[in-house]
Amino acid sequence: LGPYGGRGAAGVRALYARTLELSADPELAPRLGAFDAACADAVARLLRSAGREAGAARAVLALADGWLVAAAVAGEAGPGEDAGALERWAAERLAPGLVALAPVR
C-alpha cells in the first residue's frame, strides 16, 4: 500500500481514490496500466507455481481489489504495512475461496 499503508481503512480508501484519479491523467494512465500488467504477470507466475490456471490472474487481482474496497467501506483496516502483510491478509481471506473455485490442471 506504499505511503497509504498503516492508515487503516482511510489509507485503503485514499489509495483507490488516488488510483482512480491518476487513471484519468493521459500521461499517467499508461504507467498504471503497466503496473497492473506487472501485477497480473506476478500473480500468473504464482498461480502456475501452485499448479493453477494462470489465466485467472486478472480475476484474482480484481477479487483482491474488490475485497480491499469492501473492507475499507466497512471500516476494516485491511492489510498492514509490513512486507508480508498483504500476502497474509489475502491468504486468510481470499485463498479458501480461490482454492474452491479454481480448477486444478
Side-chain angles (χ1 to χ4, degrees), residues 44-55 102-105:
R45 285 192 304 276
L46 288 171
L47 289 171
R48 277 193 297 275
S49 72
R52 302 290 178 180
E53 176 56 47
V104 177
R105 294 190 283 167

Side-chain angles (χ1 to χ4, degrees), residues 1-7:
L1 295 174
Y4 303 98
R7 292 177 36 198

Side-chain angles (χ1 to χ4, degrees), residues 13-83:
R13 286 191 300 269
L15 170 67
Y16 282 99
R18 186 71 175 145
T19 300
L20 289 172
E21 178 185 334
L22 293 175
S23 70
D25 184 320
E27 292 182 28
L28 295 176
R31 289 184 184 181
L32 288 173
F35 177 73
D36 181 63
C39 288
D41 287 344
V43 171
R45 285 192 304 276
L46 288 171
L47 289 171
R48 277 193 297 275
S49 72
R52 302 290 178 180
E53 176 56 47
R58 290 211 180 272
V60 170
L61 287 174
L63 181 60
D65 279 335
W67 195 285
L68 282 168
V69 169
V73 168
E76 297 175 18
E81 59 184 313
D82 68 90

